[in-house]
Amino acid sequence: MKASIVTIGNEILTGHTVNTNAAYIADRLLTIGAGVVSCHTVGDEIGVIVRALKAAIKEADVILATGGLGATADDLTREATAKFLGVKLRLKKDLLRKIEYRFKKRNLKMPDNNRRQGYLPQGAKAIENCVGSAPGFKVSFEGKSIYVMPGVPGEMKAMFERRVLPEIKKRLGLKLNAGRGVTVIRKLNCFGASESQIAEEICDMCGRERSPVINFTVGYGVVTLHITAKGLSLSEAAGKADEDVKILTKRLGNLVFGSGEEGLAEALGRCLRERRMSIAVAESCTGGLIASELTEIPGASEYFKYGWIAYSNTAKISELGVPARLLGRYGAVSEQAARAMAKGAREKARADIAIAVTGIAGPAGGSKQKPVGLVYISVEMKGLKETQRFIFSGSRDFIRRRAANTAINMARLAILEVD
Amino acid sequence: MKASIVTIGNEILTGHTVNTNAAYIADRLLTIGAGVVSCHTVGDEIGVIVRALKAAIKEADVILATGGLGATADDLTREATAKFLGVKLRLKKDLLRKIEYRFKKRNLKMPDNNRRQGYLPQGAKAIENCVGSAPGFKVSFEGKSIYVMPGVPGEMKAMFERRVLPEIKKRLGLKLNAGRGVTVIRKLNCFGASESQIAEEICDMCGRERSPVINFTVGYGVVTLHITAKGLSLSEAAGKADEDVKILTKRLGNLVFGSGEEGLAEALGRCLRERRMSIAVAESCTGGLIASELTEIPGASEYFKYGWIAYSNTAKISELGVPARLLGRYGAVSEQAARAMAKGAREKARADIAIAVTGIAGPAGGSKQKPVGLVYISVEMKGLKETQRFIFSGSRDFIRRRAANTAINMARLAILEVD
């Protein structure tokens, strides 16, 4: 089954609201094996809404529309849907009574504006809104279904989960044997090689005609493989996807750190917890990013005890015991400084493993010998001491995040190596 | 001028990535008075990309497309654009040389895959990518412009800001007198009161029929006022918006901490820099979030010297000199502990001001006396010591971010108060 999403609202087009509704709906539909083929975002104007519905109905079996169901004059989705269907709006008396009752219950007089919400396109079936005043509705067109839901995320989600998703699921169940199939996506998260290096490694699996299809996304050095499998049943599609996950995990080895939504910090946390190890971090240019990522994971206090943001030289000396003459000779951004920071952090925290990072995040502070983006990362644990030099390019934010991810991954690999 | 956005990538359609690119572009275009009329999101398939470009070109004068410019076989935007234009892809030798140079510079062999990025539709002009390897490009079609940018947000933003936006702005400048009118949006960022409290405070300015229109968005306690003004010229619209900004800033007083994209950390950084003050932070439940936000600001090393993540009791005792018996009597999450952490941090760092945070971010670790969400924040500077108790509700992430923002704002207000 193919789905298309139509999100309606000027606030999305102006960029003031990020379109989280579309991502939410798409994600939930995939869990039941329905794929979203397109998403159209338009403003509160009858003409453009009609155009979007026309485009969506060509592409999909089911349309999920959100927004424009409020009580004010700029809420035009009801009118536009009627126009698209070639029918009139009709007052649904029972619906209006329900809306009136919502206000009555709270001892409020219903504003006249809200009467608008009692009108639906002829033939439409109202969908109850348990959270807010705007009812949704469902219409059919040429054997296809159009669900129209409110744009407020909380109201949309409640309506989608309670009323819309179960109906689509049921319909999908009945149609499963009709031959169009279901889609399942698995994700594998990698670090330590570029997107194109990984693609080369597994090029025999990356063909567009192959099934499952493998797609790549990248963020701050994390390369995520999306494995999209199709099948006639959920178990068939899941089976294919999981088989690919197994093959890829074996072939890519330690490049793979997790699956699904698991990030690097979670993967390192798992390594630490499984071995009952503790960790300490000493950060200069990453300025707390590594610590904040590690402590974002629930239960991090089991393994994370101490962290320092030794931003100044005096902090490196007084808090981590880095010798002043070392800083004088090699500078704060040096292999020697990184190593001394890791040593100091590990000793002071009595931690099993310590990470230290020092570098130049920019935009200022670089020189010819030590350019912006130069970062030293040191990891120290029993049986392993390692310091690496990196040159990252990009903005301050990018350099910091890339350095933090690289450091977390180095700690993960160090633990696996010593095992 | 009307713009349409086409975002390309299976990862957006599956809901695994929220479409922040579209919101970013729309927001930035509005600042120069160009309105987005539609946004189409499609997957990595030639047919649907062509369809989206066709729909977009009907609706707008300029198309901003993102995604599908990577080096792997699933990156099909180059091919699709060529098909849309009815032309072939051509190897751009100078472009390929630039891509090869990127790898050479870092002593890496360019994977064969990256050759793909040297091909552009015939007649296209390459747009340099200063951050990553995927070049963008621009093509013209029936007097309209299509800009194609990478999908990785950092790369897209850099390219959009440096190359695309200035070009559109220039083009718009020529067309300004064509009579369509322009929209200008200003943003005012507030902290310390809820959206509805602020709305009540300025209710006389919040009518929907008023011009400029004022809208609200909220994130981790930050309430942003969007002031949307329309006018026949850029200066007329900007004048109206700026007049509102002046009135609102005066009426809301210290609730306003910044404008535009300025965040709390930047606002505090400005306060510190103007007074040549230094700051130290001691974090427990926020785990480095405050430090990482403060050090995200370029030049933060001027005022940020020391930070501690004293996650365990032993760290609070050994690093910040919190008395062990104090922790024994009152617990680590207590007013007394927060105060002692701030005192210890300020003394050890010899900082002008120190912030300390201790709390329970959850999901586990709460009790009846000390529930999840309980956070103590202490600020200490010459002439002012203040500790406040908060109960934040929501997820671990929300509690941590809300606590970090609140702490940064407390430091900002403390400095303003002592002035």
Side-chain angles (χ1 to χ4, degrees):
Chain A
M1 179 188 276
K2 290 181 183 176
S4 180
I5 299 173
V6 177
T7 46
I8 297 155
N10 289 336
E11 73 283 6
I12 309 170
L13 285 183
T14 57
H16 288 146
T17 304
V18 174
N19 195 349
T20 54
N21 278 354
Y24 182 86
I25 294 172
D27 190 43
R28 295 295 290 146
L29 284 177
L30 260 186
T31 63
I32 61 161
V36 173
V37 292
S38 61
C39 169
H40 305 269
T41 303
V42 292
D44 297 299
E45 271 178 55
I46 291 180
V48 295
I49 300 172
V50 170
R51 205 157 55 203
L53 290 172
K54 279 185 183 167
I57 207 88
K58 271 190 212 155
E59 299 160 341
D61 310 308
V62 59
I63 296 180
L64 290 306
T66 64
L69 295 182
T72 51
D74 62 346
D75 292 301
L76 296 166
T77 302
R78 285 174 293 264
E79 283 81 349
T81 310
K83 191 167 179 198
F84 164 76
L85 297 167
V87 301
K88 293 226 159 118
L89 284 181
R90 301 272 179 196
L91 178 65
K92 291 249 185 184
K93 284 188 186 155
D94 52 335
L95 185 59
L96 184 62
R97 267 198 298 276
K98 276 185 195 161
I99 298 168
E100 284 169 341
Y101 178 70
R102 263 189 74 85
F103 286 90
K104 214 176 195 172
K105 218 172 52 182
R106 293 186 288 170
N107 288 319
L108 295 169
K109 195 187 162 293
M110 186 182 88
D112 272 352
N113 264 332
N114 288 78
R115 271 185 72 84
R116 294 168 55 89
Q117 299 180 315
Y119 285 81
L120 293 184
Q122 196 168 5
K125 220 179 107 190
I127 308 177
E128 195 184 355
N129 184 339
C130 315
V131 184
S133 75
F137 62 89
K138 178 194 169 184
V139 294
S140 297
F141 183 77
E142 296 179 353
K144 299 178 171 188
S145 301
I146 304 174
Y147 294 91
V148 184
M149 298 174 282
V152 178
E155 298 183 21
M156 183 282 292
K157 283 180 192 172
M159 188 179 289
F160 182 76
E161 295 295 336
R162 290 181 211 183
R163 303 287 309 277
V164 178
L165 192 63
E167 204 175 303
I168 296 176
K169 206 169 166 179
K170 204 168 148 193
R171 192 174 145 186
L172 203 63
L174 297 173
K175 285 218 173 168
L176 268 188
N177 297 321
R180 297 187 97 163
V182 292
T183 304
V184 165
I185 299 204
R186 295 280 187 267
K187 293 202 246 176
L188 265 193
N189 306 315
C190 308
F191 196 92
S194 73
E195 178 187 9
S196 41
Q197 286 169 330
I198 293 177
E200 233 174 64
E201 194 75 34
I202 56 167
C203 60
D204 54 308
M205 298 175 74
C206 289
R208 302 327 289 158
E209 59 305 315
R210 180 177 178 275
S211 168
V213 171
I214 298 176
N215 290 300
F216 293 80
T217 55
V218 188
Y220 302 116
V222 174
V223 178
T224 300
L225 276 56
H226 304 255
I227 299 121
T228 307
K230 293 187 175 178
L232 287 175
S233 68
L234 202 56
S235 66
E236 188 195 335
K240 284 190 203 170
D242 291 336
E243 179 61 24
D244 256 22
V245 166
K246 222 186 281 172
I247 298 169
L248 290 167
T249 306
K250 202 173 165 194
R251 284 178 62 172
L252 295 172
N254 276 346
L255 287 176
V256 177
F257 65 79
S259 60
E261 301 309 311
E262 194 179 37
L264 276 165
E266 214 171 332
L268 174 57
R270 190 159 34 82
C271 284
L272 293 165
R273 186 180 285 127
E274 283 169 3
R275 292 160 185 81
R276 296 176 177 273
M277 285 173 74
S278 64
I279 190 165
V281 299
E283 305 185 57
S284 185
C285 67
T286 49
L289 257 185
I290 298 175
S292 71
E293 282 178 21
L294 292 182
T295 58
E296 203 175 300
I297 311 303
S301 55
E302 275 179 47
Y303 45 84
F304 187 95
K305 310 283 175 192
Y306 284 72
W308 289 267
I309 297 118
Y311 222 57
S312 62
N313 277 359
T314 51
K316 292 180 184 78
I317 296 165
S318 73
E319 299 310 298
L320 297 166
V322 177
R325 61 172 194 292
L326 182 155
L327 294 176
R329 182 175 301 171
Y330 304 105
V333 179
S334 64
E335 195 184 325
Q336 291 80 359
R339 208 181 300 142
M341 286 167 68
K343 181 170 177 276
R346 183 160 171 244
E347 279 172 8
K348 281 194 89 176
R350 296 186 190 173
D352 295 309
I353 182 167
I355 312 177
V357 180
T358 178
I360 302 163
S367 66
K368 206 160 180 193
Q369 285 78 34
K370 298 190 175 180
V372 168
L374 174 67
V375 176
Y376 291 93
I377 303 177
S378 189
V379 169
E380 184 179 315
M381 62 183 290
K382 199 180 166 190
L384 187 144
K385 282 182 195 182
E386 189 188 10
T387 306
Q388 284 192 46
R389 177 181 184 271
F390 300 89
I391 295 193
F392 300 118
S393 54
S395 65
R396 179 180 178 87
D397 178 57
F398 186 86
I399 292 168
R400 281 161 45 97
R401 289 187 185 275
R402 187 70 195 259
N405 279 349
T406 305
I408 295 171
N409 194 54
M410 269 177 69
R412 179 182 75 87
L413 292 178
I415 294 171
L416 295 179
E417 198 176 312
V418 170
D419 262 0
Chain B
M1 179 188 275
K2 289 181 183 177
S4 179
I5 300 173
V6 177
T7 47
I8 299 155
N10 289 337
E11 71 282 7
I12 310 170
L13 284 183
T14 57
H16 288 147
T17 305
V18 174
N19 195 349
T20 55
N21 279 352
Y24 182 86
I25 294 172
D27 187 42
R28 295 294 291 144
L29 284 177
L30 259 186
T31 63
I32 62 161
V36 173
V37 293
S38 61
C39 169
H40 305 270
T41 302
V42 292
D44 297 299
E45 272 178 55
I46 292 180
V48 294
I49 300 173
V50 171
R51 204 157 55 205
L53 290 173
K54 279 186 184 166
I57 206 90
K58 270 190 211 151
E59 299 160 340
D61 311 307
V62 57
I63 297 181
L64 290 307
T66 65
L69 294 184
T72 51
D74 62 342
D75 292 301
L76 296 166
T77 302
R78 284 175 293 264
E79 282 82 350
T81 310
K83 191 168 179 196
F84 164 75
L85 297 167
V87 300
K88 293 225 158 119
L89 284 182
R90 300 270 178 198
L91 178 65
K92 291 248 185 186
K93 284 187 186 155
D94 51 333
L95 186 58
L96 183 61
R97 268 196 298 275
K98 276 185 195 159
I99 299 169
E100 283 168 342
Y101 179 70
R102 263 190 74 83
F103 285 90
K104 217 176 192 172
K105 215 172 55 182
R106 294 188 288 173
N107 289 319
L108 295 169
K109 195 190 160 293
M110 185 183 89
D112 272 351
N113 267 328
N114 288 80
R115 272 185 70 84
R116 294 168 55 89
Q117 297 180 317
Y119 285 82
L120 293 184
Q122 196 168 5
K125 222 180 104 189
I127 307 178
E128 195 187 354
N129 183 337
C130 315
V131 184
S133 74
F137 62 89
K138 178 196 169 182
V139 293
S140 297
F141 183 76
E142 297 179 352
K144 300 178 172 188
S145 301
I146 304 175
Y147 295 90
V148 184
M149 298 174 283
V152 178
E155 300 183 20
M156 183 283 291
K157 283 180 194 173
M159 188 178 290
F160 183 74
E161 294 294 336
R162 290 182 210 183
R163 302 289 311 273
V164 178
L165 192 62
E167 205 175 302
I168 296 177
K169 207 169 165 179
K170 205 168 147 193
R171 196 175 144 185
L172 203 62
L174 298 173
K175 287 217 173 170
L176 268 187
N177 296 323
R180 295 181 105 163
V182 292
T183 304
V184 164
I185 299 202
R186 295 280 186 265
K187 294 198 233 178
L188 265 193
N189 305 314
C190 308
F191 196 93
S194 72
E195 179 186 7
S196 45
Q197 285 168 328
I198 292 177
E200 229 172 73
E201 193 75 33
I202 57 167
C203 60
D204 54 309
M205 298 176 72
C206 289
R208 299 330 284 157
E209 60 304 315
R210 181 179 177 273
S211 169
V213 172
I214 299 175
N215 290 301
F216 293 78
T217 55
V218 188
Y220 301 116
V222 173
V223 178
T224 300
L225 276 54
H226 304 256
I227 299 122
T228 307
K230 292 187 176 178
L232 287 176
S233 69
L234 201 57
S235 65
E236 188 193 335
K240 283 191 203 169
D242 291 336
E243 178 61 28
D244 256 24
V245 166
K246 219 186 284 174
I247 298 169
L248 289 166
T249 306
K250 199 171 165 196
R251 284 178 64 171
L252 295 172
N254 275 346
L255 287 175
V256 177
F257 65 80
S259 59
E261 300 310 312
E262 194 179 38
L264 276 166
E266 217 172 330
L268 174 56
R270 191 158 34 83
C271 285
L272 293 165
R273 186 180 286 128
E274 285 169 1
R275 291 163 186 79
R276 295 174 176 275
M277 287 174 73
S278 64
I279 190 164
V281 301
E283 305 184 57
S284 185
C285 66
T286 49
L289 256 187
I290 297 175
S292 70
E293 282 179 20
L294 293 182
T295 58
E296 203 175 300
I297 311 303
S301 54
E302 276 179 47
Y303 44 83
F304 187 94
K305 310 284 175 191
Y306 285 70
W308 290 266
I309 298 117
Y311 223 57
S312 62
N313 276 0
T314 52
K316 292 180 184 76
I317 296 164
S318 72
E319 299 309 299
L320 297 166
V322 177
R325 60 172 196 292
L326 181 154
L327 294 175
R329 181 177 301 171
Y330 303 105
V333 179
S334 64
E335 195 184 325
Q336 292 81 358
R339 209 181 300 142
M341 286 167 69
K343 180 169 177 277
R346 184 161 170 244
E347 278 172 9
K348 280 195 89 177
R350 295 186 193 172
D352 295 310
I353 182 167
I355 312 177
V357 181
T358 179
I360 302 161
S367 66
K368 207 164 179 187
Q369 286 78 32
K370 298 191 176 182
V372 167
L374 174 65
V375 176
Y376 290 93
I377 303 177
S378 188
V379 169
E380 184 179 315
M381 62 183 289
K382 198 179 165 190
L384 187 145
K385 283 183 193 181
E386 190 188 8
T387 306
Q388 284 192 45
R389 176 182 186 271
F390 300 89
I391 295 191
F392 300 118
S393 54
S395 65
R396 178 180 179 86
D397 179 56
F398 186 87
I399 290 167
R400 282 163 42 98
R401 290 187 185 276
R402 186 71 194 256
N405 279 348
T406 305
I408 295 172
N409 194 54
M410 268 176 70
R412 180 182 74 89
L413 292 179
I415 293 171
L416 295 179
E417 198 175 313
V418 169
D419 262 358

